[in-house]
Coordinates of all heavy atoms in Angstrom, one line a residue:
M300 N -0.1 -1.2 -11.9 CA -0.8 -0.3 -11.1 C -0.3 -0.6 -9.7 O -0.1 -1.6 -9.2 CB -2.4 -0.7 -11.1 CG -3.2 0.2 -10.4 SD -4.2 -0.5 -9.2 CE -4.6 0.9 -8.3
L301 N -0.1 0.6 -9.1 CA 0.5 0.6 -7.7 C -0.6 0.9 -6.7 O -1.5 1.7 -6.8 CB 1.5 1.8 -7.5 CG 2.0 2.2 -6.1 CD1 2.9 1.1 -5.5 CD2 2.6 3.6 -6.1
L302 N -0.5 0.0 -5.6 CA -1.3 0.3 -4.4 C -0.3 0.3 -3.2 O 0.4 -0.6 -3.0 CB -2.4 -0.7 -4.1 CG -3.3 -0.6 -2.9 CD1 -4.1 0.6 -3.0 CD2 -4.2 -1.8 -2.8
L303 N -0.4 1.5 -2.5 CA 0.5 1.7 -1.4 C -0.4 1.8 -0.2 O -1.3 2.7 -0.1 CB 1.3 3.0 -1.5 CG 2.4 3.3 -0.5 CD1 3.5 2.3 -0.6 CD2 2.9 4.7 -0.7
A304 N -0.2 1.0 0.9 CA -1.0 1.0 2.1 C -0.1 1.4 3.3 O 1.0 0.8 3.4 CB -1.7 -0.3 2.3
E305 N -0.5 2.4 4.0 CA 0.2 2.8 5.3 C -0.7 2.3 6.5 O -1.9 2.7 6.5 CB 0.4 4.3 5.3 CG 1.3 4.8 4.2 CD 1.6 6.3 4.3 OE1 0.8 7.0 5.2 OE2 2.3 6.9 3.5
L306 N -0.1 1.7 7.4 CA -0.8 1.2 8.6 C -0.1 1.5 9.8 O 1.2 1.4 9.8 CB -1.0 -0.4 8.5 CG -1.8 -0.9 7.3 CD1 -0.7 -1.3 6.2 CD2 -2.6 -2.2 7.7
T307 N -0.7 1.8 10.8 CA -0.2 2.0 12.2 C -0.9 1.2 13.2 O -2.0 1.4 13.4 CB -0.3 3.5 12.6 OG1 0.3 4.3 11.5 CG2 0.5 3.8 13.9
A308 N -0.1 0.3 13.7 CA -0.7 -0.7 14.7 C -0.8 0.0 16.2 O 0.0 1.0 16.4 CB 0.2 -1.9 14.9
R309 N -1.8 -0.4 16.9 CA -1.8 0.0 18.3 C -0.5 -0.6 18.9 O -0.1 -1.7 18.5 CB -3.0 -0.6 19.0 CG -4.3 0.0 18.5 CD -5.5 -0.6 19.2 NE -6.7 -0.3 18.5 CZ -7.5 0.8 18.9 NH1 -7.1 1.6 19.9 NH2 -8.6 1.0 18.2
P310 N 0.1 0.1 19.9 CA 1.4 -0.4 20.5 C 1.3 -1.9 21.0 O 2.2 -2.7 20.7 CB 1.6 0.5 21.6 CG 0.9 1.8 21.2 CD -0.3 1.3 20.5
D311 N 0.2 -2.3 21.5 CA 0.0 -3.7 22.0 C -0.3 -4.7 21.0 O -0.4 -5.9 21.2 CB -1.0 -3.7 23.2 CG -2.4 -3.3 22.7 OD1 -2.5 -2.7 21.7 OD2 -3.4 -3.7 23.4
S312 N -0.6 -4.2 19.7 CA -0.9 -5.0 18.6 C 0.1 -5.2 17.4 O -0.2 -5.8 16.4 CB -2.3 -4.5 18.0 OG -3.3 -4.4 19.0
D313 N 1.2 -4.6 17.7 CA 2.2 -4.5 16.6 C 2.6 -6.0 16.1 O 2.6 -6.1 14.9 CB 3.6 -3.9 17.3 CG 4.5 -3.5 16.2 OD1 4.4 -2.5 15.6 OD2 5.5 -4.2 16.1
A314 N 2.8 -6.9 17.0 CA 3.2 -8.3 16.5 C 2.1 -8.9 15.7 O 2.3 -9.6 14.7 CB 3.6 -9.1 17.7
A315 N 0.8 -8.7 16.2 CA -0.3 -9.3 15.5 C -0.5 -8.7 14.1 O -0.7 -9.5 13.2 CB -1.6 -9.1 16.3
V316 N -0.3 -7.4 13.9 CA -0.4 -6.8 12.6 C 0.7 -7.3 11.8 O 0.5 -7.6 10.6 CB -0.4 -5.2 12.8 CG1 -0.2 -4.6 11.4 CG2 -1.6 -4.7 13.5
E317 N 1.9 -7.4 12.2 CA 3.1 -7.9 11.5 C 2.7 -9.4 11.0 O 3.0 -9.7 9.9 CB 4.3 -7.9 12.3 CG 5.5 -8.4 11.5 CD 6.8 -8.4 12.2 OE1 7.0 -7.6 13.1 OE2 7.7 -9.3 11.9
A318 N 2.2 -10.2 11.9 CA 1.9 -11.6 11.5 C 0.8 -11.6 10.3 O 0.9 -12.4 9.5 CB 1.4 -12.4 12.7
I319 N -0.2 -10.8 10.5 CA -1.2 -10.7 9.4 C -0.6 -10.3 8.2 O -0.9 -10.9 7.1 CB -2.4 -9.8 9.9 CG1 -3.2 -10.4 11.1 CG2 -3.3 -9.5 8.7 CD1 -4.1 -9.3 11.8
L320 N 0.2 -9.3 8.2 CA 0.9 -8.8 6.9 C 1.7 -9.8 6.3 O 1.8 -10.0 5.1 CB 1.7 -7.5 7.2 CG 0.7 -6.3 7.5 CD1 1.6 -5.1 8.0 CD2 -0.1 -5.9 6.4
R321 N 2.4 -10.6 7.2 CA 3.3 -11.6 6.5 C 2.4 -12.7 5.9 O 2.8 -13.3 4.8 CB 4.2 -12.3 7.7 CG 5.3 -11.3 8.1 CD 6.2 -12.0 9.2 NE 7.2 -11.1 9.6 CZ 8.4 -11.1 9.0 NH1 8.7 -11.8 8.0 NH2 9.3 -10.2 9.6
D322 N 1.2 -13.0 6.5 CA 0.4 -14.0 5.9 C -0.2 -13.5 4.6 O -0.3 -14.3 3.6 CB -0.8 -14.3 6.9 CG -0.4 -15.1 8.0 OD1 0.8 -15.8 8.0 OD2 -1.1 -15.3 9.0
L323 N -0.5 -12.2 4.5 CA -0.9 -11.6 3.2 C 0.1 -11.7 2.2 O -0.3 -11.8 1.0 CB -1.4 -10.2 3.5 CG -2.8 -10.0 4.2 CD1 -3.0 -8.5 4.5 CD2 -3.9 -10.6 3.3
V324 N 1.4 -11.6 2.5 CA 2.4 -11.7 1.5 C 2.3 -13.1 0.8 O 2.3 -13.2 -0.4 CB 3.8 -11.6 2.0 CG1 4.9 -12.0 1.1 CG2 4.1 -10.2 2.5
R325 N 2.0 -14.2 1.6 CA 2.0 -15.6 1.1 C 0.7 -15.8 0.2 O 0.7 -16.3 -0.8 CB 2.0 -16.5 2.3 CG 3.4 -16.7 2.9 CD 3.5 -17.8 4.0 NE 2.8 -17.4 5.2 CZ 3.5 -16.7 6.1 NH1 4.7 -16.3 5.9 NH2 2.9 -16.4 7.3
S326 N -0.5 -15.2 0.8 CA -1.7 -15.5 0.0 C -1.7 -14.6 -1.3 O -2.1 -15.1 -2.3 CB -2.9 -15.2 0.9 OG -2.9 -13.8 1.3
T327 N -1.2 -13.4 -1.2 CA -1.2 -12.5 -2.4 C -0.3 -12.9 -3.5 O -0.5 -12.8 -4.6 CB -0.9 -11.1 -1.9 OG1 -1.8 -10.6 -0.9 CG2 -1.0 -10.1 -3.2
A328 N 0.7 -13.6 -3.1 CA 1.7 -14.2 -4.1 C 1.1 -15.2 -5.0 O 1.5 -15.4 -6.1 CB 2.9 -14.8 -3.4
Q329 N 0.0 -15.8 -4.6 CA -0.8 -16.7 -5.3 C -1.7 -16.1 -6.3 O -2.3 -16.7 -7.2 CB -1.5 -17.7 -4.5 CG -0.7 -18.3 -3.4 CD 0.5 -19.1 -4.1 OE1 0.3 -19.9 -5.1 NE2 1.7 -18.9 -3.6
E330 N -2.0 -14.7 -6.2 CA -3.0 -14.1 -7.1 C -2.3 -13.9 -8.5 O -1.2 -13.3 -8.6 CB -3.4 -12.8 -6.4 CG -4.1 -12.9 -5.2 CD -4.4 -11.6 -4.5 OE1 -4.3 -10.6 -5.1 OE2 -4.9 -11.7 -3.3
P331 N -3.0 -14.2 -9.5 CA -2.4 -14.2 -10.8 C -2.0 -12.8 -11.3 O -1.0 -12.6 -12.1 CB -3.4 -14.8 -11.8 CG -4.7 -14.8 -11.0 CD -4.3 -14.8 -9.6
G332 N -2.7 -11.8 -10.9 CA -2.4 -10.4 -11.3 C -1.5 -9.7 -10.5 O -1.1 -8.5 -10.7
N333 N -0.9 -10.3 -9.4 CA 0.0 -9.6 -8.5 C 1.4 -9.7 -9.1 O 1.9 -10.7 -9.5 CB 0.0 -10.3 -7.1 CG 1.0 -9.7 -6.2 OD1 2.1 -10.3 -6.0 ND2 0.7 -8.5 -5.6
R334 N 2.1 -8.6 -9.1 CA 3.5 -8.4 -9.5 C 4.4 -8.4 -8.4 O 5.5 -9.0 -8.4 CB 3.7 -7.3 -10.5 CG 2.7 -7.2 -11.7 CD 3.3 -8.2 -12.7 NE 2.6 -8.1 -13.9 CZ 2.0 -9.0 -14.6 NH1 1.9 -10.2 -14.1 NH2 1.5 -8.8 -15.8
T335 N 4.0 -7.6 -7.4 CA 4.9 -7.5 -6.2 C 4.0 -7.1 -5.0 O 3.1 -6.4 -5.1 CB 5.9 -6.3 -6.4 OG1 6.7 -6.5 -7.5 CG2 6.8 -6.0 -5.2
Y336 N 4.4 -7.7 -3.9 CA 3.7 -7.5 -2.6 C 4.7 -7.4 -1.6 O 5.3 -8.5 -1.1 CB 2.6 -8.4 -2.3 CG 1.7 -8.1 -1.3 CD1 0.4 -7.4 -1.6 CD2 1.9 -8.4 0.0 CE1 -0.5 -7.1 -0.6 CE2 0.9 -8.1 1.1 CZ -0.2 -7.4 0.6 OH -1.2 -7.1 1.7
A337 N 5.2 -6.2 -1.0 CA 6.2 -6.2 0.0 C 5.7 -5.5 1.2 O 5.2 -4.4 1.0 CB 7.4 -5.6 -0.7
V338 N 6.1 -5.9 2.3 CA 5.7 -5.3 3.6 C 7.1 -4.7 4.2 O 8.1 -5.3 4.2 CB 5.2 -6.2 4.6 CG1 4.9 -5.6 5.9 CG2 3.9 -6.9 4.0
H339 N 6.9 -3.4 4.6 CA 8.1 -2.7 5.2 C 7.7 -2.2 6.5 O 6.5 -1.8 6.7 CB 8.5 -1.5 4.3 CG 8.8 -1.9 2.9 ND1 10.1 -2.2 2.5 CD2 8.0 -2.1 1.8 CE1 10.1 -2.4 1.2 NE2 8.8 -2.4 0.8
R340 N 8.6 -2.1 7.4 CA 8.4 -1.5 8.7 C 8.9 0.0 8.6 O 10.0 0.2 8.1 CB 9.1 -2.1 9.8 CG 8.9 -1.5 11.1 CD 9.3 -2.2 12.4 NE 8.7 -3.5 12.5 CZ 7.5 -3.7 13.2 NH1 6.9 -2.6 13.7 NH2 7.1 -4.9 13.4
R341 N 8.1 1.0 9.0 CA 8.5 2.3 8.9 C 9.5 2.7 9.9 O 9.5 2.2 11.0 CB 7.2 3.3 9.1 CG 6.2 3.1 8.0 CD 5.2 4.2 7.9 NE 5.7 5.5 7.8 CZ 4.9 6.5 7.6 NH1 3.7 6.4 7.4 NH2 5.5 7.7 7.5
R342 N 10.4 3.5 9.5 CA 11.5 4.0 10.3 C 11.1 5.2 11.1 O 11.6 5.5 12.2 CB 12.8 4.3 9.6 CG 13.4 3.1 9.0 CD 14.7 3.5 8.3 NE 15.4 2.2 7.8 CZ 16.5 2.3 7.2 NH1 17.2 3.5 6.9 NH2 17.1 1.2 6.7
D343 N 10.2 6.0 10.5 CA 9.8 7.3 11.1 C 8.5 7.3 11.9 O 8.2 8.3 12.6 CB 9.6 8.3 9.9 CG 8.5 7.9 8.9 OD1 8.2 6.7 8.8 OD2 8.0 8.8 8.3
V344 N 7.8 6.1 12.0 CA 6.6 6.1 12.7 C 6.6 4.8 13.6 O 6.6 3.7 13.0 CB 5.3 6.0 11.7 CG1 4.1 5.8 12.5 CG2 5.3 7.3 10.9
P345 N 6.5 5.0 14.9 CA 6.5 3.8 15.7 C 5.2 2.9 15.4 O 4.2 3.4 15.2 CB 6.4 4.3 17.2 CG 6.9 5.7 17.0 CD 6.6 6.2 15.7
H346 N 5.4 1.6 15.3 CA 4.4 0.7 15.0 C 3.8 0.8 13.6 O 2.7 0.4 13.3 CB 3.3 0.7 16.0 CG 3.8 0.8 17.4 ND1 4.4 -0.3 18.0 CD2 3.8 1.8 18.3 CE1 4.8 0.0 19.2 NE2 4.4 1.3 19.5
G347 N 4.6 1.6 12.7 CA 4.0 1.8 11.3 C 4.6 0.8 10.3 O 5.7 0.3 10.4
F348 N 3.7 0.5 9.3 CA 4.0 -0.4 8.3 C 3.7 0.2 6.9 O 2.7 1.1 6.9 CB 3.2 -1.7 8.4 CG 3.6 -2.4 9.7 CD1 2.8 -2.2 10.9 CD2 4.5 -3.4 9.7 CE1 3.0 -2.9 12.0 CE2 4.8 -4.1 10.9 CZ 3.9 -3.8 12.0
I349 N 4.4 -0.1 5.9 CA 4.1 0.3 4.6 C 3.9 -1.0 3.8 O 4.8 -1.9 3.8 CB 5.1 1.2 3.9 CG1 5.2 2.5 4.7 CG2 4.8 1.5 2.4 CD1 6.4 3.3 4.3
V350 N 2.9 -1.2 3.0 CA 2.7 -2.3 2.1 C 2.8 -1.7 0.6 O 2.0 -0.9 0.3 CB 1.4 -3.1 2.3 CG1 1.3 -4.3 1.4 CG2 1.3 -3.4 3.8
Y351 N 3.8 -2.2 -0.1 CA 4.0 -1.8 -1.5 C 3.5 -2.9 -2.4 O 4.0 -4.0 -2.3 CB 5.5 -1.6 -1.7 CG 5.9 -1.2 -3.1 CD1 5.8 0.1 -3.5 CD2 6.4 -2.2 -3.9 CE1 6.2 0.5 -4.7 CE2 6.7 -1.9 -5.2 CZ 6.6 -0.4 -5.6 OH 7.1 -0.2 -6.9
E352 N 2.5 -2.6 -3.2 CA 1.8 -3.5 -4.1 C 1.8 -3.1 -5.5 O 1.5 -2.0 -5.8 CB 0.4 -3.8 -3.6 CG 0.2 -4.0 -2.0 CD -1.2 -4.0 -1.6 OE1 -2.0 -4.6 -2.3 OE2 -1.4 -3.5 -0.5
L353 N 2.2 -4.0 -6.4 CA 2.0 -3.7 -7.8 C 1.1 -4.8 -8.5 O 1.4 -6.0 -8.2 CB 3.4 -3.8 -8.5 CG 4.4 -2.7 -8.2 CD1 5.7 -2.9 -8.8 CD2 3.9 -1.3 -8.6
Y354 N 0.3 -4.4 -9.3 CA -0.7 -5.3 -9.9 C -0.7 -5.1 -11.4 O -0.3 -4.0 -11.9 CB -2.1 -5.0 -9.4 CG -2.2 -5.5 -8.0 CD1 -2.1 -4.5 -7.0 CD2 -2.5 -6.8 -7.6 CE1 -2.1 -4.9 -5.6 CE2 -2.5 -7.1 -6.3 CZ -2.3 -6.2 -5.3 OH -2.3 -6.5 -3.9
R355 N -1.0 -6.1 -12.2 CA -1.0 -6.1 -13.6 C -1.8 -4.9 -14.1 O -1.5 -4.3 -15.1 CB -1.5 -7.4 -14.2 CG -1.5 -7.6 -15.7 CD -2.1 -8.8 -16.1 NE -3.5 -9.0 -15.6 CZ -3.9 -10.1 -14.9 NH1 -3.0 -11.1 -14.7 NH2 -5.0 -10.1 -14.5
D356 N -3.0 -4.8 -13.5 CA -4.0 -3.8 -13.9 C -5.0 -3.5 -12.8 O -5.0 -4.2 -11.8 CB -4.7 -4.2 -15.3 CG -5.3 -5.7 -15.2 OD1 -5.7 -6.0 -14.1 OD2 -5.4 -6.3 -16.2
D357 N -5.9 -2.6 -13.1 CA -7.0 -2.3 -12.2 C -7.8 -3.5 -11.7 O -8.2 -3.7 -10.6 CB -7.9 -1.2 -12.7 CG -7.2 0.2 -12.8 OD1 -6.2 0.4 -12.1 OD2 -7.8 1.1 -13.4
A358 N -8.1 -4.4 -12.7 CA -8.9 -5.6 -12.4 C -8.2 -6.4 -11.4 O -8.9 -7.0 -10.5 CB -9.3 -6.3 -13.7
A359 N -6.9 -6.6 -11.5 CA -6.2 -7.5 -10.6 C -6.1 -6.8 -9.3 O -6.3 -7.6 -8.2 CB -4.8 -7.7 -11.2
C360 N -6.0 -5.5 -9.2 CA -6.0 -4.8 -7.8 C -7.4 -5.0 -7.2 O -7.5 -5.3 -6.0 CB -5.6 -3.3 -8.1 SG -5.6 -2.5 -6.5
S361 N -8.5 -4.8 -8.0 CA -9.8 -4.9 -7.5 C -10.0 -6.4 -7.0 O -10.7 -6.6 -5.9 CB -10.8 -4.6 -8.6 OG -10.8 -3.3 -8.9
A362 N -9.5 -7.4 -7.7 CA -9.7 -8.8 -7.3 C -8.9 -9.0 -5.9 O -9.5 -9.7 -5.0 CB -9.1 -9.7 -8.3
H363 N -7.8 -8.4 -5.8 CA -7.1 -8.5 -4.5 C -7.9 -7.8 -3.4 O -8.0 -8.4 -2.3 CB -5.7 -7.8 -4.6 CG -5.1 -7.6 -3.3 ND1 -4.6 -8.7 -2.5 CD2 -4.8 -6.5 -2.5 CE1 -4.1 -8.3 -1.4 NE2 -4.2 -7.0 -1.4
L364 N -8.4 -6.7 -3.6 CA -9.1 -6.0 -2.6 C -10.4 -6.7 -2.2 O -10.8 -6.6 -1.0 CB -9.5 -4.6 -3.1 CG -8.3 -3.6 -3.3 CD1 -8.8 -2.3 -3.9 CD2 -7.6 -3.3 -1.9
A365 N -11.0 -7.5 -3.0 CA -12.1 -8.3 -2.7 C -11.8 -9.7 -2.2 O -12.7 -10.5 -1.8 CB -13.1 -8.4 -4.0
S366 N -10.5 -10.0 -2.2 CA -10.1 -11.4 -1.9 C -10.5 -11.7 -0.4 O -10.4 -10.9 0.5 CB -8.7 -11.7 -2.1 OG -7.8 -10.9 -1.1
P367 N -10.9 -13.0 -0.1 CA -11.2 -13.4 1.2 C -10.0 -13.2 2.2 O -10.2 -12.7 3.3 CB -11.6 -14.9 1.2 CG -12.1 -15.0 -0.2 CD -11.3 -14.1 -1.1
P368 N -8.7 -13.4 1.9 CA -7.7 -13.2 2.8 C -7.6 -11.7 3.2 O -7.4 -11.4 4.4 CB -6.4 -13.7 2.2 CG -6.8 -14.7 1.2 CD -8.2 -14.2 0.7
L369 N -7.7 -10.9 2.2 CA -7.6 -9.4 2.5 C -8.8 -8.9 3.3 O -8.7 -8.2 4.3 CB -7.4 -8.6 1.3 CG -7.3 -7.1 1.6 CD1 -6.0 -6.8 2.5 CD2 -7.3 -6.3 0.4
Q370 N -10.0 -9.4 3.0 CA -11.2 -9.0 3.8 C -11.1 -9.5 5.2 O -11.5 -8.7 6.0 CB -12.4 -9.6 3.0 CG -12.7 -8.8 1.7 CD -13.0 -7.4 1.8 OE1 -13.7 -6.9 2.7 NE2 -12.2 -6.6 1.2
A371 N -10.6 -10.7 5.4 CA -10.4 -11.2 6.8 C -9.4 -10.4 7.6 O -9.5 -10.0 8.7 CB -10.0 -12.6 6.8
A372 N -8.3 -10.0 6.9 CA -7.3 -9.1 7.5 C -7.9 -7.8 7.9 O -7.7 -7.2 9.0 CB -6.2 -9.0 6.6
L373 N -8.7 -7.2 7.0 CA -9.2 -5.8 7.3 C -10.2 -5.9 8.5 O -10.2 -5.0 9.2 CB -10.0 -5.3 5.9 CG -9.1 -4.9 4.8 CD1 -9.9 -4.6 3.6 CD2 -8.1 -3.8 5.2
A374 N -10.9 -7.0 8.6 CA -11.8 -7.1 9.7 C -11.0 -7.3 10.9 O -11.5 -6.6 12.0 CB -12.7 -8.4 9.5
R375 N -9.9 -7.9 11.0 CA -9.1 -8.0 12.2 C -8.4 -6.7 12.5 O -8.2 -6.4 13.7 CB -8.1 -9.1 12.0 CG -8.6 -10.5 11.9 CD -7.7 -11.6 12.0 NE -6.9 -11.6 13.2 CZ -5.7 -12.2 13.2 NH1 -5.2 -12.8 12.2 NH2 -4.9 -12.1 14.3
F376 N -8.0 -5.9 11.4 CA -7.4 -4.7 11.7 C -8.3 -3.6 12.4 O -7.7 -2.7 13.0 CB -6.9 -4.1 10.3 CG -5.7 -4.8 9.7 CD1 -5.5 -4.7 8.3 CD2 -4.8 -5.4 10.4 CE1 -4.4 -5.2 7.7 CE2 -3.7 -6.0 9.9 CZ -3.5 -5.9 8.5
E377 N -9.6 -3.8 12.3 CA -10.4 -2.8 12.9 C -10.1 -2.7 14.4 O -10.2 -1.6 14.9 CB -11.9 -3.2 12.8 CG -12.4 -3.0 11.3 CD -13.9 -3.4 11.3 OE1 -14.6 -3.5 12.2 OE2 -14.3 -3.6 10.1
T378 N -9.7 -3.7 15.0 CA -9.3 -3.5 16.5 C -7.8 -3.5 16.8 O -7.4 -3.2 17.9 CB -9.9 -4.8 17.3 OG1 -9.3 -5.9 16.8 CG2 -11.4 -4.8 17.2
L379 N -7.0 -3.7 15.7 CA -5.5 -3.8 15.9 C -4.9 -2.5 15.5 O -3.7 -2.3 15.9 CB -5.0 -5.0 15.1 CG -5.5 -6.3 15.5 CD1 -4.9 -7.4 14.6 CD2 -5.1 -6.7 17.0
L380 N -5.5 -1.7 14.7 CA -4.9 -0.5 14.2 C -5.3 0.7 15.0 O -6.4 0.8 15.5 CB -5.2 -0.3 12.7 CG -4.8 -1.3 11.7 CD1 -5.1 -1.0 10.3 CD2 -3.3 -1.5 11.8
A381 N -4.3 1.7 15.1 CA -4.5 2.9 15.8 C -5.5 3.8 14.9 O -6.2 4.6 15.5 CB -3.2 3.6 16.1
V382 N -5.3 3.8 13.6 CA -6.1 4.6 12.7 C -6.4 3.7 11.4 O -5.7 2.7 11.2 CB -5.4 5.9 12.2 CG1 -5.2 6.8 13.4 CG2 -4.0 5.5 11.6
P383 N -7.5 4.0 10.7 CA -7.7 3.2 9.5 C -6.5 3.3 8.5 O -5.8 4.2 8.5 CB -9.0 3.9 8.9 CG -9.6 4.6 10.0 CD -8.4 5.1 10.9
P384 N -6.4 2.2 7.7 CA -5.3 2.2 6.7 C -5.5 3.4 5.7 O -6.5 3.8 5.5 CB -5.4 0.8 6.0 CG -6.3 0.0 6.9 CD -7.1 0.9 7.6
R385 N -4.3 3.9 5.3 CA -4.3 4.9 4.3 C -3.8 4.3 3.0 O -2.8 3.6 2.9 CB -3.4 6.1 4.7 CG -3.3 7.2 3.7 CD -2.4 8.3 4.1 NE -2.2 9.3 3.1 CZ -1.2 9.4 2.3 NH1 -0.3 8.5 2.3 NH2 -1.2 10.3 1.4
L386 N -4.7 4.4 2.0 CA -4.4 3.8 0.7 C -4.1 4.9 -0.3 O -4.8 5.9 -0.4 CB -5.5 2.9 0.2 CG -6.0 1.8 1.1 CD1 -7.2 1.1 0.5 CD2 -4.8 0.9 1.4
V387 N -3.1 4.6 -1.2 CA -2.7 5.5 -2.3 C -2.5 4.6 -3.5 O -1.9 3.6 -3.5 CB -1.4 6.2 -2.0 CG1 -0.9 7.1 -3.1 CG2 -1.4 7.0 -0.7
Q388 N -3.1 5.1 -4.6 CA -3.1 4.4 -5.9 C -2.3 5.2 -6.9 O -2.3 6.4 -6.9 CB -4.4 4.1 -6.5 CG -5.2 3.0 -5.6 CD -6.6 2.7 -6.2 OE1 -7.2 3.5 -6.8 NE2 -7.0 1.5 -5.8
G389 N -1.6 4.5 -7.8 CA -0.8 5.2 -8.8 C -0.6 4.4 -10.1 O -0.7 3.2 -10.0
D390 N -0.3 5.1 -11.1 CA 0.0 4.5 -12.4 C 1.4 4.7 -12.7 O 1.9 5.9 -12.5 CB -0.9 5.1 -13.5 CG -2.4 4.7 -13.3 OD1 -2.7 3.6 -13.0 OD2 -3.2 5.7 -13.4
L391 N 2.1 3.7 -13.2 CA 3.6 3.8 -13.5 C 3.9 4.8 -14.7 O 3.2 4.6 -15.7 CB 4.1 2.4 -13.8 CG 5.6 2.3 -14.0 CD1 6.3 2.6 -12.8 CD2 5.9 0.9 -14.6
L392 N 4.8 5.7 -14.4 CA 5.2 6.5 -15.4 C 6.6 6.1 -15.9 O 6.9 6.1 -17.1 CB 5.4 7.9 -14.9 CG 4.1 8.6 -14.5 CD1 4.3 10.0 -14.0 CD2 3.1 8.7 -15.7
A393 N 7.6 5.7 -15.0 CA 8.9 5.3 -15.4 C 9.4 4.4 -14.2 O 9.0 4.7 -13.1 CB 9.8 6.5 -15.7
A394 N 10.3 3.6 -14.5 CA 10.9 2.8 -13.5 C 12.3 2.2 -13.9 O 12.5 2.0 -15.0 CB 10.0 1.6 -13.0
A395 N 13.1 1.9 -12.9 CA 14.3 1.2 -13.1 C 14.3 -0.1 -12.3 O 13.8 -0.1 -11.1 CB 15.5 2.0 -12.7
G396 N 14.6 -1.3 -12.8 CA 14.6 -2.4 -12.0 C 13.3 -3.3 -11.8 O 13.3 -4.2 -11.1
L397 N 12.3 -2.8 -12.5 CA 11.0 -3.4 -12.5 C 10.7 -4.2 -13.8 O 10.9 -3.6 -14.9 CB 9.8 -2.5 -12.2 CG 9.8 -1.8 -10.9 CD1 8.7 -0.8 -10.9 CD2 9.7 -2.8 -9.7
A398 N 10.4 -5.5 -13.7 CA 10.1 -6.2 -14.9 C 8.6 -5.9 -15.3 O 7.8 -5.7 -14.4 CB 10.3 -7.7 -14.8
D399 N 8.3 -6.1 -16.6 CA 6.9 -5.9 -17.0 C 6.1 -7.0 -16.5 O 6.3 -8.0 -16.5 CB 6.8 -5.8 -18.6 CG 7.1 -4.4 -19.0 OD1 6.9 -3.5 -18.3 OD2 7.4 -4.3 -20.2

């Protein structure tokens, strides 16, 4: 299961958002249902980030969304982001280079 998050930091909060996202990479890597958790800086949006997340199934994604580290990050994002995060979910149809 794919979860894609788009975030746009306030200009003065860019470094803080990046630090939080880097911390989430470390904590999410410990979640048993997480397959991939990657943070990217957007090239087309100033202060923009994309978080690419793959989970074993819906239950693993739900567990991540309810996790204390993510909930703490979301609370901090309320004052650090220019707009609320945009989330997109998807189911894998075909892929190259991804392990099961």
Side-chain angles (χ1 to χ4, degrees):
M300 192 233 159
L301 167 74
L302 180 61
L303 184 70
E305 295 179 358
L306 301 94
T307 304
R309 295 178 190 268
D311 61 340
S312 300
D313 193 78
V316 170
E317 181 179 334
I319 292 167
L320 292 172
R321 287 179 181 274
D322 286 344
L323 283 172
V324 169
R325 288 187 282 279
S326 63
T327 305
Q329 305 305 312
E330 296 174 12
N333 176 259
R334 301 287 191 232
T335 300
Y336 194 91
V338 175
H339 304 265
R340 183 170 294 277
R341 292 189 63 165
R342 291 181 176 183
D343 60 334
V344 175
H346 315 291
F348 299 89
I349 298 170
V350 183
Y351 177 84
E352 309 173 39
L353 291 177
Y354 295 93
R355 178 185 60 234
D356 52 28
D357 287 345
C360 183
S361 294
H363 169 70
L364 292 173
S366 71
L369 181 63
Q370 289 300 309
L373 291 173
R375 292 186 62 202
F376 284 157
E377 287 183 17
T378 59
L379 299 174
L380 297 181
V382 295
R385 179 175 175 265
L386 301 179
V387 177
Q388 294 182 333
D390 295 314
L391 183 64
L392 295 179
L397 293 176
D399 275 337

